[in-house]
Amino acid sequence: IPSEIQQRIRPLASSPLNRLGTGFSANTFLSPSLLKIMSVLRDMVFFIITYQTNPTVIKPGDQDFFRILNCETEHQLLSYIYAEGSPNPEPNIHPIEAVTRVAAICYLNHFLIVSPSSSGLGRALTKHLKTALDGCKLSLLVGLPKQNFGLYVWALFVGAQGALGQPERQWFVERLARVAMICGWQSWEQISKLMAEYFFVTALDSLNWRSIWDEAMT
């Protein structure tokens, strides 16, 4: 992303938005390759925030640039684990990395491209994310640093949002309730503060994600 665009879309140094994505960069189970892609996705989220809240700084051509970047980022997320020359055609990556990778693809398609949950693509993404989350057992998470639960919960919110109106929605909500019990989380304020370290924007996501949380708490 050109520095000229970065200067226009990135928040001021004093802004709480700078917490966005810090949860990924602090996670030791994510590979440098994935973290590099997530840093680009972070700027894409900053662009969406700027477009929604301060559209006057958006210049002609910015939308086309980010539309192309969106496609390139998705391709990188799909392909980086199949590095050229790798002897293993089916890479065995850490469950935390697998969850993050698939959830990031879903985030692109649910929140930046907006694929309807009932579409073929939406249903396929939901299935893949459910599989990745199911492969990261809660028994495994209990033995890892607690911040991994935060990343896992972010993926659950992405999955629940993407499964709106679909049968899989209940699975994501019930898993969120279980994690909340394990971690002792009881309030939306606790969760929204934690999600701000991943990709969660209060002005854009709060209403939908709060409803997911309330559903889990019932």
Side-chain angles (χ1 to χ4, degrees):
I1 300 175
S3 58
E4 184 272 332
I5 295 181
Q6 290 181 356
Q7 290 171 6
R8 287 190 284 111
I9 65 172
R10 285 187 174 175
L12 298 174
S14 59
S15 172
L17 283 174
N18 284 297
R19 293 178 59 211
L20 194 82
T22 56
F24 299 115
S25 57
N27 194 298
T28 58
F29 294 104
L30 302 184
S31 68
S33 296
L34 179 56
L35 289 176
K36 184 177 180 180
I37 300 170
M38 298 302 281
S39 70
V40 176
L41 182 50
R42 181 175 188 253
D43 275 338
M44 294 171 64
V45 176
F46 283 147
F47 169 74
I48 295 296
I49 295 171
T50 304
Y51 182 77
Q52 294 281 347
T53 61
N54 191 17
T56 58
V57 306
I58 302 298
K59 293 185 177 180
D62 283 354
Q63 292 191 53
D64 288 336
F65 173 83
F66 278 96
R67 189 177 296 113
I68 294 170
L69 185 63
N70 194 108
C71 295
E72 292 178 346
T73 302
E74 184 175 28
H75 183 270
Q76 288 293 318
L77 285 167
L78 289 165
S79 65
Y80 82 92
I81 60 172
Y82 304 101
E84 186 175 355
S86 173
N88 187 359
E90 292 296 334
N92 183 26
I93 62 177
H94 194 280
I96 291 293
E97 174 126 357
V99 165
T100 307
R101 172 178 174 260
V102 179
I105 295 170
C106 292
Y107 190 88
L108 278 172
N109 283 275
H110 294 323
F111 298 97
L112 301 183
I113 300 174
V114 189
S115 299
S117 58
S118 59
S119 68
L121 176 58
R123 296 303 306 277
L125 289 169
T126 296
K127 180 181 177 181
H128 283 297
L129 182 53
K130 183 177 179 292
T131 299
L133 284 161
D134 218 18
C136 187
K137 302 299 183 184
L138 294 183
S139 57
L140 169 67
L141 285 174
V142 170
L144 299 178
K146 193 171 182 179
Q147 61 262 34
N148 287 285
F149 275 109
L151 194 158
Y152 191 87
V153 164
W154 171 75
L156 287 173
F157 273 111
V158 172
Q161 175 73 4
L164 181 64
Q166 302 303 314
E168 296 85 358
R169 164 93 168 197
Q170 190 63 26
W171 185 90
F172 292 105
V173 171
E174 289 178 355
R175 185 62 61 93
L176 175 59
R178 290 178 63 188
V179 173
M181 291 177 64
I182 292 171
C183 296
W185 294 326
Q186 298 179 337
S187 71
W188 168 245
E189 288 68 27
Q190 284 177 294
I191 293 299
S192 60
K193 184 178 180 180
L194 179 63
M195 291 300 96
E197 297 178 1
Y198 298 95
F199 293 148
F200 168 74
V201 183
T202 302
L204 304 179
D205 303 324
S206 184
L207 186 62
N208 289 324
W209 287 28
R210 176 63 189 267
S211 68
I212 294 168
W213 174 254
D214 289 343
E215 192 176 337
M217 288 303 95
T218 60

